[in-house]
């Protein structure tokens, strides 16, 4: 395994759309192992392949309740909403308030190509959404709610 370099927000690759994984082979497994090590080393809760320079629909996640690998993930159901602070390993030292669903159901393949259903609530739901956004070239900074706007939303509740 190896630690990969995490690209930062100035890198245009972060704005590109990642391609689906078609081959579940040694090359993919090496990438996954490296992403896992890189995420833990950086003390992140999630990492998308594009963040280490690979435009493939691959995500690793661990919000503290176990390590997960999601290949070709799709959100198939979501509900609820919550505004909370969010950050990104590609946007070091910053955070912002983003509205996300409090529950998501995701369909994804594992490293052998088997499809399964994963569910996440709260931080895990937020993490799934954030990482899947990366696969479509979207950064959380695109969705940050300015502080003033947030106050208006709260006042209207
Ligand atoms: Zn991120």
């Amino acid at each position: 395994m190896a630690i990969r370099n995490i690209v930062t927000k100035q890198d245009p690759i972060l704005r590109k759309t990642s391609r689906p994984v078609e081959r579940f082979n040694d090359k993919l497994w090496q990438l996954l192992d490296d992403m896992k090590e890189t995420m833990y080393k950086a003390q992140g809760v999630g990492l998308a392949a594009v963040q280490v320079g690979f435009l493939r629909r691959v995500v690793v996640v661990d919000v503290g309740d176990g390590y997960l690998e999601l290949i070709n993930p799709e959100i198939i159901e979501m509900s609820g909403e919550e505004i909370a602070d969010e950050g990104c390993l590609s946007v070091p030292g910053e955070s912002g308030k983003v509205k996300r669903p409090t529950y998501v159901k995701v369909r994804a393949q594992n490293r052998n190509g088997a499809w399964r259903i994963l569910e996440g609530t709260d931080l895990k739901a937020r993490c799934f959404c954030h990482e899947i956004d990366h696969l479509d070239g979207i950064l959380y900074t695109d969705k940050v709610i300015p502080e003033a706007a947030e106050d208006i939303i709260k006042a209207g509740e």
Side-chain angles (χ1 to χ4, degrees):
M1 294 204 286
I3 304 283
R4 306 260 184 145
N5 189 38
I6 298 174
V7 301
T8 51
K9 64 177 176 182
Q10 294 80 6
D11 193 317
I13 195 171
L14 288 171
R15 293 308 187 171
K16 295 188 175 162
T17 301
S18 295
R19 295 181 301 275
V21 171
E22 285 157 4
R23 295 193 189 90
F24 295 80
N25 57 15
D26 289 9
K27 208 175 150 193
L28 173 68
W29 301 334
Q30 181 68 57
L31 173 64
L32 283 162
D33 291 344
D34 290 354
M35 285 173 64
K36 179 182 184 181
E37 197 176 357
T38 304
M39 175 181 73
Y40 285 128
K41 174 83 177 172
Q43 296 184 300
V45 294
L47 189 70
V50 62
Q51 293 180 274
V52 291
F54 284 80
L55 284 168
R56 289 290 176 179
R57 302 187 82 82
V58 175
V59 161
V60 296
V61 166
D62 186 349
V63 297
D65 65 352
Y67 171 70
L68 296 170
E69 296 175 341
L70 290 76
I71 321 293
N72 300 326
E74 300 162 40
I75 294 172
I76 54 173
E77 206 178 306
M78 62 171 82
S79 63
E81 57 182 47
E82 182 185 46
I83 296 169
D85 278 319
E86 202 163 311
C88 178
L89 293 175
S90 294
V91 190
E94 291 179 35
S95 68
K97 304 232 182 263
V98 181
K99 184 161 78 178
R100 298 285 191 185
T102 53
Y103 168 83
V104 295
K105 188 185 274 187
V106 176
R107 181 176 177 265
Q109 284 167 287
N110 68 12
R111 62 164 58 207
N112 297 309
W115 286 99
R116 67 248 158 92
I117 300 291
L118 299 156
E119 290 178 298
T121 56
D122 305 317
L123 177 60
K124 197 185 231 171
R126 177 169 297 275
C127 190
F128 284 159
C129 293
H130 176 116
E131 300 308 332
I132 291 169
D133 273 355
H134 272 302
L135 306 182
D136 294 315
I138 299 164
L139 294 178
Y140 88 86
T141 50
D142 301 346
K143 297 184 168 180
V144 165
I145 297 168
E147 298 288 336
E150 188 206 349
D151 291 342
I152 291 163
I153 291 164
K154 278 188 178 154
E157 278 173 0

